Amino acid sequence: MRLLIEHATVWDGSGAAPFPGQVLVENERIVAVAPRAEALAADGAERLDAGGKFLMPGLVEGHAHLSFVDTPRGTALGELPPEDHALLTMDAARKLLGAGFTSACSAAAAKIRLDVAVRDAIERGHTDGPRLLTASPELTVTGGLGDGRRLHLHQDSFGVAVDGPDEVRRMARLCLREGCDTIKLNISGDYGTESALAETTVMTDAEVAAGVEAAHTIGRRVAAHARASESVKRALRNGVDIIYHCDFADEEALDMLEAQKDRVFTGPAIGIVLARLESLRGDNSWQGQGFLERLKPLYEATCRTHHEMRKRGIRIVIGGDYGFAANPQGTNARDLEHFVTHLGFSPSEALQAATRTGGEIMKRGHELGQIKPGFLADLLLVDGDPLQDVRVLQNRKRLALIMKGGVRYVPCEGPPHVRRLH
Ligand SMILES: [Zn+2]
């Protein structure tokens, strides 16, 4: 396969200004990038006239939950049989690719092998989807976020309850054995969990350390759900690699994040917060009002914290907990708009978070997330200019071509799917 993409406006993901240019792809990689006026040795290559279009790196979803299949409640995921759940997860992978996301870093699966089975099916060519780094279910303490059980009722959710370092270690090792690339630890609570609210830090130091040791021993990573300030510090002190949310990080937590900014990744996952705020508007029920009272300060804290984190150069990825009814799979590009509207990012900064920083969180910053010779040919050809208005990426009709490793796709009409071109 040899393809010359000509006459495009090339934005390479580095943060440099776009330029009129051409990109030569050979098999799965980019082999040359040149300004329009320069002659490129491309004899015999197929030519694609991208006149008037914007060529950029494929998007990276930094907080994916492909097995969260748009249910209203977490416990509804626990009710799904594994076979049905695997098919729905596969479907979500196709939707994500169809939305222009050529890579995804999972922030938890709802069952231990869901991400793993779908990742393997994608890699073997049995189904279409983004490059996927898989994650375990959310390891949580009894009563923590994702523990859906009640005393009288066994109820699975997206979490697995483990208490004490021995149980954390055993479950982490089991998930690692089954193929998970990342172990997810819920160190803080969340706004919807009565017995562990967002400002509380419920997983102990010893439990976090046990999970990190199990993963790092075999070269894999740990991601944390960490809204409370102390949970961010606990994650950092114990070597957690990816620290999501960070909403209530205080000055000391921000200083610690900054000191480790070359090692850690963060991501606010603001999409779900905004979707919930939106859905609660006009809900006058007692429960709705209670949620709103908790969510508003969390939203304000997230905005404040991420303005500061951006200024300090801490690596932040897009990804907003897509996969709930209010925030469905395939609408993930909305996060770019959220970064610009709520977190103070310029369109270029938001796009860099979604491409170059995305390549880095995929552990492939040397070959993923930018348009450079030698990099993987993960590209997006857009009918519009996302630097003027990032919302253009939410319109699948404007995605003229999605390329993953040199393979061409177009989004389908109707449901948010994708079609392989050859
Ligand atoms: Zn999440």
Side-chain angles (χ1 to χ4, degrees), residues 67-78 80 88 276 323-326:
S67 55
F68 290 17
V69 291
D70 303 347
T71 59
R73 294 170 294 111
T75 47
L77 297 171
L80 282 168
L88 291 167
R276 288 254 200 272
F324 290 96

Side-chain angles (χ1 to χ4, degrees), residues 342-356:
H342 301 276
L343 305 180
F345 282 61
S346 69
S348 172
E349 287 168 336
L351 289 165
Q352 289 171 61
T355 55
R356 195 190 65 239

Side-chain angles (χ1 to χ4, degrees), residues 361-383:
I361 200 173
M362 292 296 294
K363 298 171 112 173
R364 303 175 85 163
H366 60 290
E367 58 171 1
L368 197 62
Q370 296 184 66
I371 301 181
K372 281 186 178 174
F375 273 51
L376 288 158
D378 284 20
L379 302 168
L380 207 51
L381 188 62
V382 186
D383 186 7

Side-chain angles (χ1 to χ4, degrees), residues 53-133:
K53 296 195 174 71
F54 188 93
L55 186 68
M56 59 176 283
L59 297 167
V60 183
E61 165 59 67
H63 187 120
H65 292 298
L66 291 180
S67 55
F68 290 17
V69 291
D70 303 347
T71 59
R73 294 170 294 111
T75 47
L77 297 171
E79 290 162 18
L80 282 168
E83 298 82 357
D84 310 48
H85 208 158
L87 293 171
L88 291 167
T89 305
M90 207 167 94
D91 197 49
R94 284 196 293 256
K95 283 180 184 167
L96 191 54
L97 181 60
F101 287 79
T102 49
S103 294
C105 178
S106 179
K111 293 180 174 69
I112 293 172
R113 296 202 74 261
L114 285 175
D115 274 356
V116 172
V118 170
R119 174 198 65 194
D120 293 351
I122 293 168
E123 284 181 7
R124 289 170 190 151
H126 297 156
T127 188
D128 294 312
R131 302 175 192 282
L132 179 60
L133 284 179

